[in-house]
Amino acid sequence: MPHRTVHLFQKGLGLHDNPTLLAALESSEVVYPVYILDRKFLMSAMNIGTLRWHFLLQSLEDLQRNLTKLDSCLLVIQGEYESVLRDHVKKWNITQVTLDAEIEPFYKEMERTIQVLGGEMGFDVLSLVGHTLYDIRRILDMNGGTPPLTYKRFLHILSVLGDPDIPVRNVTAEDFQRCKPPELGLGECYRVPLPEDLGIPQESRSPWRGGETEGLQRLEQHLKNQGWIANFTKPKTLPNSLLPSTTGLSPYFSFGCLSVRTFFYRLSNIYAQSKNHSLPPVSLQGQLLWREFFYTVASATPNFTKMVGNPICLQIDWYQDAERLHKWRTAQTGFPWIDAIMTQLLQEGWIHHLARHAVACFLTRGDLWISWEEGMKVFEEMLLDADYSINAGNWMWLSASAFFHQYTRIFCPVRFGKRTDPEGQYIRKYLPVLMNFPSKYIYEPWTAPEEVQKQAGCIIGQDYPLPMVNHKEASDHNLQLMKRVREEQYGTAQLTRDVVDDPMEMGLKRELSEENSKKGKRAKNREQT
Ligand code: FAD
């Protein structure tokens, strides 16, 4: 007997490679495509900030348009998800609820609640994996029930598992025509709200526009450049280019506007046609596998987004310093490279991976010795691509709390950016107050003579802050703290795992050693980038 189904969109805001929606259409006589806009859930579980709100609403509008083209419609229902579901299951005589299977604890909790409700109200629940390349449970099973904790081990497991499942076919108008559309006029009652309806500030300077259509267009644009795709080497991409030097697809993956499997297989096709192509960890498929790696570890690690109670995370007595955290968050550190990155993040909601390295290292083990959890929360609110597993995983990595062990490598907030953008164009774009500084001083404007500062129309300490720390002193001190932590926790599970090289450091390391041997002054213990 065919079902009367509510398909719940959550993260999978697209119609291509959407196995759950396809299964809903294939098993039903009527499908109600629903997005429950549960503001409390979105704010408390996901800490969604203004830019992400805009991106979400744009993605919903796009989904609405695309469903309309297929003779259906999107029903955006505002309210607490359990009561919304309860009401509408009754109202529409629903016999099945379909939703994507997710790994985040808040989505798992939601699914459990819906299962219980199903038991009580007599509807079936169908949930299928949609946002990872593999069903993560298979990876865990293959590794003996625990997550592989190094990328190398992870790749080994995947080599045994073979290729990921291929994407499912796109849903079509025929699929919707086979089952009855929701009642006429229903779409009008449950429209996508405008930002102002939700009290979200209108203005958004983010160049990213949400939605499957935009995500697919960006994907196609990149795929045209087959040479670039085949040779993509992450460490060679520039953190301070004025347009993204990587794909910039992460917000679309994060909202499920783009399928990772679709991208994976489109890359495979290009690789198959190229004589040579780059490989994981630095290739584009390698990037998707990093995503998969963090999803796998997060799915089976308790308290993954916290230090306390997290079995893979070093336990560190970080400083609690609200004032310093505020300066970092609001781009007032006095280091133009760091402040420019934080400004791009605040204004646009996306920054390059290495830029994330720079500000994360600065906040944690590099300069401020503030907990990675604080940085993660700021990223969670500001990033368009904010993702439970990837965000926490990378913050642990950067703070050398897990995964990454070469903690003596500390990024210099002056030299790091200068290497790829000596003229400071990136800083000039995001910190116009420093626009007129000569390139010689743009990364360290406090060293400019008073006359130069006057000519540049910006007095340091007055128009732009003095550096909030002495980087050399702070990082030397923090390095000693980190050494001590590691000595104290030597032999604990966190420190006895395989050491894995940071792929982002591979290019840098090679360049550094060439540079150092040229100068004949190789740093003994510590390499600064
Ligand atoms: P590309 O280089 O084009 O890569 C393609 C895709 O691969 C990305 O869209 C992303 O889905 C995946 N990917 C790339 N790098 C990584 C990585 N290191 N780990 C896991 N997946 C990766 N990425 C997020 O999507 N959400 C986050 O919340 C997030 N938080 C981060 C926090 C910190 C401190 C750091 C250092 C990195 C974080 N990243 C996060 C990872 C990475 O920086 C972004 O995925 C990447 O910069 C997105 O840009 P892109 O789409 O152009 O990436």
Side-chain angles (χ1 to χ4, degrees), residues 189-246:
C189 306
Y190 297 112
R191 293 163 71 101
V192 182
L194 297 169
E196 55 265 36
D197 298 337
L198 303 175
I200 295 160
Q202 264 291 14
E203 200 182 320
S204 161
R205 286 155 76 180
S206 176
W208 266 264
R209 193 171 170 77
E212 179 182 27
T213 309
E214 175 80 19
L216 284 169
Q217 266 165 14
R218 285 178 183 242
L219 175 72
E220 292 305 332
Q221 201 59 35
H222 284 303
L223 293 173
K224 276 187 203 154
N225 201 345
Q226 299 206 354
W228 182 77
I229 294 278
N231 296 319
F232 183 93
T233 306
K234 187 71 168 263
K236 289 191 182 159
T237 59
L238 301 182
N240 32 23
S241 62
L242 299 184
L243 291 173
S245 60
T246 50

Side-chain angles (χ1 to χ4, degrees), residues 234 246-250 287 350 353 356 385 387 390-391 394:
K234 187 71 168 263
T246 50
T247 64
L249 293 177
S250 50
Q287 304 315 299
W350 185 91
H353 183 60
R356 300 181 199 211
D385 62 31
D387 180 288
I390 313 179
N391 197 15
N394 275 285

Side-chain angles (χ1 to χ4, degrees), residues 19-91:
T20 321
L21 177 61
L22 195 61
L25 288 164
E26 283 171 351
S27 59
S28 311
E29 60 172 17
V30 58
V31 172
Y32 293 84
V34 168
Y35 182 85
I36 301 181
L37 206 157
D38 181 342
R39 296 178 69 179
K40 203 164 146 217
F41 175 80
L42 287 166
M43 302 296 284
S44 64
M46 292 161 68
N47 190 21
I48 175 169
T50 304
L51 294 180
R52 212 146 45 110
W53 267 116
H54 281 280
F55 196 94
L56 169 64
L57 294 178
Q58 289 159 2
S59 302
L60 292 175
E61 272 168 24
D62 184 61
L63 188 58
Q64 162 76 307
R65 273 191 298 273
N66 291 339
L67 279 166
T68 309
K69 283 183 204 154
L70 301 182
D71 284 336
S72 184
C73 61
L74 178 68
L75 310 172
V76 179
I77 312 178
Q78 294 193 48
E80 192 268 320
Y81 71 83
E82 192 181 342
S83 60
V84 166
L85 208 53
R86 194 181 278 280
D87 291 350
H88 290 81
V89 162
K90 231 188 269 164
K91 199 161 155 185

Side-chain angles (χ1 to χ4, degrees), residues 348-361:
E348 301 180 1
W350 185 91
I351 46 179
H352 185 277
H353 183 60
L354 280 175
R356 300 181 199 211
H357 273 222
V359 294
C361 184

Side-chain angles (χ1 to χ4, degrees), residues 236-279:
K236 289 191 182 159
T237 59
L238 301 182
N240 32 23
S241 62
L242 299 184
L243 291 173
S245 60
T246 50
T247 64
L249 293 177
S250 50
Y252 303 93
F253 292 131
S254 179
F255 278 89
C257 298
L258 259 188
S259 143
V260 280
R261 293 188 302 206
T262 300
F263 188 38
F264 185 91
Y265 276 100
R266 297 291 297 275
L267 291 173
S268 292
N269 292 345
I270 293 180
Y271 292 163
Q273 289 163 31
S274 358
K275 277 198 197 123
N276 284 315
H277 62 84
S278 52
L279 292 168

